[in-house]
Amino acid sequence: MSVTQQQILDSLKQVASPRGVPLTNANVLSAISVTDGKVFFSINVDAAEARAWESVRAQAEAAVRAIPGVTTAMIALTAERKPGSPRPEAAPAPHRHAHGVQPASAHRPPQGPSPMSKQTEIPGVAAVIAVASGKGGVGKSTTALNLALGLRDVGLRVGLLDADIYGPSVPRLTGINEKPQLDDNRKMIPIQRFGLSIMSIGFLVEEDTAMIWRGPMVMSAITQMLRDVAWGTLDILVVDMPPGTGDAQLTLAQNVPLKGAVIISTPQDLSLIDARRGLAMFKKVNVPVLGIVENMSYFQCPECGTRSDIFGHGGARHEAERLGVPFLGEIPLHMSIRTTSDEGNPVVVSEPNGPHAAIYRAIGTNVRDQLQGAIAAA
């Protein structure tokens, strides 16, 4: 059953804004995207009113999900401060008394709760780890998938969440073309492939769709991918993050208590600079760094066996030693890793007894051993 924009607008007319007018008349709705029962739009309000609008966002999402034929509803609340408006957290000016100006601390308002106080565990998931990189093009998604498979091979129940909402790669890397179904609680059911529970924003949109997300939409999308998915019982959920150190990374760190992060880099200095930034960000939000992986570490000619350090070599190992974090291993630049990834048949699955699968399993063993306490306690 196809869903039309008019059906959605008719449903949203029944939702009242904080001002008492129908949501469709409040001049806050973005363009509405409807594809194969999947609905995306945002509610754009001033930051000073954001708290009052959160319940409206939830009501709008419930109304859209109730439309027959809607399989997924992702509705973001975007809040921006209007130019010239005061910041809500601004402290009052210091007060004078008979002996002069009182110190600012005397009238400082109590600090709000830490963003990390909103962290809650995902039911059934013992440990969540992030696979991240400071920049794109370093093979992060390929590494995340093969790491998940390596963790599977050392006896763990593993899920993989593709949170790279700007350029989701997991559908292509796994060869998955189907759409997730909903359970009785209207949560998305992860797609099972290679013994992994897999979810990706790419399962919900077409491959060539341009993903244009504003900051609050990023946070809302990632929260839904974490909370509105029936993950079941997992030892580890591996999250393939977008490159960089922005909203997606902070949202994940603030939403769930991450048990660790794996940083992917190539050996060259430019990549290492960005990897350093990523590592610093995770430390700032008190997420343990499980280690650094040097991807595309070297190239070995399949014909003559000559080894070439195309991007240099050993930079990630030296950086790990300098920063005092584990070095998890070197992954070569090799044709079989590239071709199996493009074919949707990752190398740990297609060549399980090969040297590359052994590298990913060794990295998985290292990560498992670091997380043993968290897994055992779950």
Side-chain angles (χ1 to χ4, degrees):
M1 180 184 299
S2 61
V3 180
T4 66
Q5 287 197 4
Q6 190 58 50
Q7 285 178 285
I8 295 166
L9 291 171
D10 290 344
S11 177
L12 295 176
K13 285 179 183 177
Q14 311 307 313
V15 179
S17 77
R19 306 180 195 117
V21 301
L23 187 56
T24 50
N25 296 340
N27 197 31
V28 295
L29 296 179
S30 72
I32 297 173
S33 171
V34 188
T35 307
D36 297 332
K38 299 178 289 293
V39 180
F40 302 89
F41 65 89
S42 63
I43 300 172
N44 309 309
V45 302
D46 183 65
E49 302 176 326
R51 183 167 296 178
W53 279 89
E54 176 51 41
S55 63
V56 177
R57 186 207 68 79
Q59 292 172 44
E61 187 170 285
V64 171
R65 287 188 174 186
I67 298 172
V70 171
T71 57
T72 301
M74 191 171 288
I75 301 169
L77 179 64
T78 68
E80 295 184 358
R81 189 171 64 91
K82 291 180 179 177
S85 63
R87 295 185 183 274
E89 70 273 16
H95 293 273
R96 291 185 175 274
H97 61 87
H99 301 289
V101 179
Q102 290 183 346
S105 58
H107 291 278
R108 185 175 296 144
Q111 295 294 316
S114 164
M116 298 305 166
S117 66
K118 298 179 181 179
Q119 291 178 336
T120 54
E121 303 277 356
I122 299 175
V125 178
V128 182
I129 67 170
V131 176
S133 64
K135 66 191 297 293
V138 299
K140 170 184 55 61
S141 295
T142 299
T143 305
L145 172 57
N146 282 293
L147 169 60
L149 292 165
L151 289 163
R152 175 208 66 180
D153 284 354
V154 296
L156 301 181
R157 295 164 295 185
V158 184
L160 175 65
L161 171 58
D162 180 4
D164 190 350
I165 63 173
Y166 301 112
S169 301
V170 165
R172 173 61 64 91
L173 294 173
T174 57
I176 296 175
N177 299 312
E178 61 195 275
K179 307 299 182 186
Q181 302 298 311
L182 300 181
D183 67 8
D184 293 339
N185 296 316
R186 297 193 66 79
K187 287 194 172 188
M188 291 180 285
I189 302 172
I191 294 173
Q192 301 296 315
R193 186 65 55 92
F194 312 129
L196 304 176
S197 298
I198 304 175
M199 181 56 64
S200 169
I201 192 73
F203 297 159
L204 308 177
V205 297
E206 300 304 320
E207 188 176 52
D208 56 355
T209 299
M211 302 297 287
I212 303 172
W213 300 85
R214 300 169 75 183
M217 295 178 74
V218 171
M219 294 183 278
S220 179
I222 290 180
T223 299
Q224 283 198 272
M225 298 294 284
L226 288 167
R227 301 292 175 191
D228 290 350
V229 174
W231 288 109
T233 303
L234 298 175
D235 295 310
I236 295 182
L237 176 62
V238 177
V239 183
D240 177 21
M241 299 300 298
T245 55
D247 291 324
Q249 288 78 6
L250 289 174
T251 296
L252 183 66
Q254 293 173 1
N255 203 293
V256 296
L258 284 173
K259 295 301 190 290
V262 175
I263 307 296
I264 312 300
S265 180
T266 59
Q268 67 213 86
D269 290 342
L270 185 60
S271 180
L272 289 167
I273 291 170
D274 290 317
R276 199 175 301 140
R277 293 192 185 105
L279 191 147
M281 185 211 71
F282 282 113
K283 285 192 171 181
K284 184 170 288 188
V285 294
N286 299 317
V287 174
V289 176
L290 301 172
I292 299 177
V293 173
E294 183 171 279
N295 199 30
M296 307 182 200
S297 183
Y298 57 89
F299 171 73
Q300 192 157 11
C301 176
E303 302 297 332
C304 65
T306 301
R307 174 169 163 159
S308 302
D309 296 334
I310 295 175
F311 299 116
H313 181 257
R317 181 188 293 274
H318 296 149
E319 190 68 18
E321 292 172 352
R322 188 182 73 82
L323 296 172
V325 299
F327 178 68
L328 297 176
E330 302 173 348
I331 302 170
L333 178 65
H334 197 277
M335 185 74 73
S336 64
I337 297 176
R338 196 273 301 169
T339 55
T340 57
S341 297
D342 288 349
E343 292 167 357
N345 194 24
V347 71
V348 173
V349 173
S350 58
E351 301 175 16
N353 298 317
H356 309 309
I359 294 172
Y360 288 114
R361 276 194 289 271
I363 295 172
T365 299
N366 191 316
V367 170
R368 179 201 62 186
D369 291 347
Q370 293 188 63
L371 297 173
Q372 203 71 274
I375 296 171

